[in-house]
Amino acid sequence: MEQKWVVFYVSSHGFGHMTRSLAVIEEIMKQTSDHVYLVSGAYQNEFARNYLKKFADRMQYKDLKTDIGLVTVQNGLTVDVEETEQQLIPFVASWEDIVAEEVAQLKKMSIKCILTDITPIGALVGERLKVRTIGVSNFTWVEQYEFFHIQWEIIEAFKEAYSHLELFGEYALALSMESVNCPRKSIGFLSRKLDWSKISDLK
């Protein structure tokens, strides 16, 4: 039987995207015999490898900067708009090469679907491969960048990428996401399962 793959592109901005994505991946592993190809930043994937180690034989990882997100000022929480833009410009320009490399690898695999939280790279890869592509998040970078008045050309590039999504799984407390023009499905809240032994150790 041909091995089926679920492809997951996760934002390399912080750890929130990865932690909630791990809850989804863990359920995929428990409920199916599918393999998962997970693409995210090196730090995020290191955490994922440890968390999903019991499924290591069905996981394949790729370390890749999949997002810039919002860059804050040094030692602070205020968004540095100028620096965010300076990092976004080359990042957006790199999409074509990144997508071409991903497509070359994935076209050899039998892919059931692609999920993205919420990096545009996943949407672009899905469009190129003509594979069902699903966004999962409580926001997109479009609203974030519009709020901080990031360059129009950058926002339009993100809008165009997200336009290739066929379905959007909307987590609880989501922003309006007016730029999302595909059907939506409410997911609600989700979390990883609690490990009571580790909680006890912490206490």
Side-chain angles (χ1 to χ4, degrees):
M1 181 183 295
E2 187 176 28
Q3 180 57 59
K4 299 293 185 180
W5 289 82
V6 175
V7 177
F8 220 125
Y9 287 89
V10 179
S11 174
S12 55
H13 181 260
F15 280 89
H17 298 269
M18 179 57 81
T19 54
R20 66 189 184 189
S21 295
L22 287 175
V24 178
I25 294 170
E26 188 171 25
E27 285 304 304
I28 290 172
M29 290 300 187
K30 289 178 178 178
Q31 297 184 24
T32 75
S33 60
D34 298 334
H35 284 48
V36 171
Y37 174 74
L38 177 58
V39 183
S40 191
Y43 291 120
Q44 291 78 12
N45 276 346
E46 182 180 0
F47 175 51
R49 285 184 179 94
N50 183 62
Y51 184 80
L52 297 169
K53 58 187 175 184
K54 62 184 175 182
F55 304 112
D57 60 329
R58 292 163 57 200
M59 292 293 304
Q60 183 175 334
Y61 297 89
K62 182 168 185 179
D63 296 343
L64 179 71
K65 178 179 279 190
T66 57
D67 259 331
I68 298 300
L70 296 168
V71 181
T72 57
V73 297
Q74 188 173 7
N75 300 321
L77 297 176
T78 304
V79 173
D80 187 332
V81 175
E82 183 177 351
E83 182 60 28
T84 298
E85 285 186 339
Q86 290 305 306
Q87 292 191 29
L88 278 167
I89 291 169
F91 174 63
V92 172
S94 72
W95 289 356
E96 184 60 35
D97 289 340
I98 291 172
V99 171
E101 184 175 327
E102 289 299 291
V103 168
Q105 179 168 348
L106 294 176
K107 67 182 181 181
K108 307 169 188 175
M109 301 155 65
S110 179
I111 300 172
K112 290 178 70 173
C113 69
I114 294 175
L115 296 99
T116 181
D117 180 358
I118 184 61
T119 165
I121 292 172
L124 293 169
V125 171
E127 190 277 331
R128 189 74 62 86
L129 288 171
K130 306 304 179 190
V131 173
R132 179 173 172 79
T133 305
I134 303 168
V136 282
S137 187
N138 58 335
F139 72 91
T140 76
W141 292 115
V142 171
E143 305 86 55
Q144 304 295 320
Y145 295 152
E146 286 178 336
F147 180 81
F148 288 102
H149 305 290
I150 297 296
Q151 293 179 23
W152 177 84
E153 293 84 358
I154 293 172
I155 294 172
E156 287 302 304
F158 276 79
K159 284 184 179 179
E160 196 279 331
Y162 292 142
S163 73
H164 300 301
L165 296 173
E166 296 180 33
L167 179 68
F168 199 99
E170 187 176 292
Y171 291 130
L173 307 178
L175 299 180
S176 63
M177 296 186 288
E178 294 177 4
S179 63
V180 175
N181 55 14
C182 64
R184 301 190 195 189
K185 182 175 182 179
S186 177
I187 295 175
F189 290 102
L190 86 164
S191 69
R192 293 175 291 141
K193 292 190 180 300
L194 297 176
D195 186 331
W196 291 105
S197 64
K198 291 182 179 180
I199 292 172
S200 179
D201 289 343
L202 286 171
K203 287 181 179 180

